[in-house]
Amino acid sequence: MTDDERRAWSGERVEMVRRQIAARGVLDERVLEAMRTVPREVFVPEHEHERVCMDGPLPIGHGQTISQPYIVALMLELLELKPSDRVLEVGSGSGYATAVMSRLVRSVVGIERHGDLAREASARLASLGYDTARIVHGDGTTGWAEGAPYDAILVSAAAGDGVPAALLGQLAVGGRLIVPVVVDEKRQRLVRVRRVAGDQYKREELGAVSFVPLVEGIPELGE
Ligand code: SAH
């Protein structure tokens, strides 16, 4: 990549944050700065580079998508991330949201059920030197017990069966979890859960969203 290309992309990201994110009311300056900094083009297939800062999701292979920039920013703001937090992302896909969160917290682990996507995301994070982030291959509906408890959990795929119990169990007291939940065939809603005490959770229903489904298990060959 040439210096000119790098400058052009960084300019595009500044505009993306201003027009698509800040203008829609995401005001957490740490989130906005991380989204200006992380090179989104690294997480998007080369044939989609023209559309890297487009106001929508883009395909990343295996029928999956990298989320719309605004939705990533909104979810990260709702997670109320602090520099000392340990974070889990379920459905890390391209690794983009994991990368952005790594700029905001102490450590982040992303879990992805597609082995190819997990390997590619892992290589991207390494190439950028984001060494407080890592990706594991597995079924995130059971969370990632090794790193628990987490101060924040981001679920980047829509849960059809309610919030997976394992994730609630891996949330620290005081921790926040953001998850898109399926309402019916056509509708999903963003939900925030706070663990307010050992056995007490507070649930808030937020706006409408559209995510690929959270699928249990590891894919069969060819999926
Ligand atoms: N944050 C990602 C979004 C990727 S889309 C990005 O910005 O690129 C959601 C991802 O969740 C897909 O890659 C899908 O394969 C993955 N996924 C779905 N169900 C899963 C599960 N049970 N465990 C882990 N990953 C899952």
Side-chain angles (χ1 to χ4, degrees):
M1 193 191 304
T2 65
D3 281 353
D4 275 355
E5 278 172 334
R6 204 166 285 137
R7 260 194 301 277
W9 265 320
S10 134
E12 267 196 53
R13 288 197 301 274
V14 169
E15 277 301 287
M16 169 188 93
V17 167
R18 194 171 65 80
R19 286 196 202 170
Q20 300 172 25
I21 301 176
R24 290 193 182 119
V26 174
L27 300 175
D28 183 332
E29 188 45 46
R30 294 179 68 235
V31 171
L32 300 182
E33 187 53 24
M35 304 244 344
R36 291 185 198 106
T37 311
V38 172
R40 188 169 162 87
E41 63 277 8
V42 171
F43 297 87
V44 165
E46 219 161 294
H47 62 271
E48 296 288 354
H49 269 176
E50 294 238 310
R51 306 199 288 165
V52 68
C53 287
M54 194 189 80
D55 191 12
L58 288 172
I60 55 171
H62 295 281
Q64 307 304 320
T65 54
I66 176 173
S67 306
Q68 178 190 23
Y70 165 66
I71 288 295
V72 175
L74 176 67
M75 293 194 299
L76 300 195
E77 180 171 69
L78 291 167
L79 278 174
E80 299 172 358
L81 299 173
K82 293 188 280 295
S84 58
D85 283 351
R86 293 171 198 275
V87 178
L88 174 70
E89 183 186 17
V90 174
S92 50
S94 69
Y96 177 69
T98 303
V100 175
M101 288 197 284
S102 77
R103 308 297 82 198
L104 299 169
V105 300
R106 171 158 48 158
S107 65
V108 50
V109 49
I111 182 162
E112 169 56 51
R113 69 188 282 277
H114 281 288
D116 291 347
L117 295 180
R119 275 187 294 280
E120 286 163 20
S122 203
R124 290 174 178 131
L125 295 171
S127 76
L128 291 167
Y130 291 176
D131 55 11
T132 55
R134 76 188 182 106
I135 304 284
V136 296
H137 175 213
D139 175 6
T141 59
T142 58
W144 184 249
E146 257 179 70
Y150 301 98
D151 303 296
I153 299 179
L154 173 63
V155 184
S156 292
D161 261 341
V163 187
L167 298 183
L168 294 174
Q170 290 175 22
L171 198 59
V173 173
R176 293 82 54 202
L177 178 148
I178 297 283
V179 56
V181 171
V182 173
V183 180
D184 59 36
E185 239 172 64
K186 291 208 175 108
R187 289 178 303 160
Q188 300 173 8
R189 181 165 285 293
L190 212 53
V191 168
R192 176 163 61 185
V193 179
R194 269 177 214 280
R195 187 168 196 172
V196 288
D199 58 354
Q200 211 184 325
Y201 295 85
K202 208 182 104 199
R203 179 185 166 117
E204 290 164 83
E205 310 264 338
L206 308 163
V209 285
S210 177
F211 279 82
V212 296
L214 184 69
V215 181
E216 267 181 46
I218 301 297
E220 304 288 324
L221 269 180
E223 189 189 325

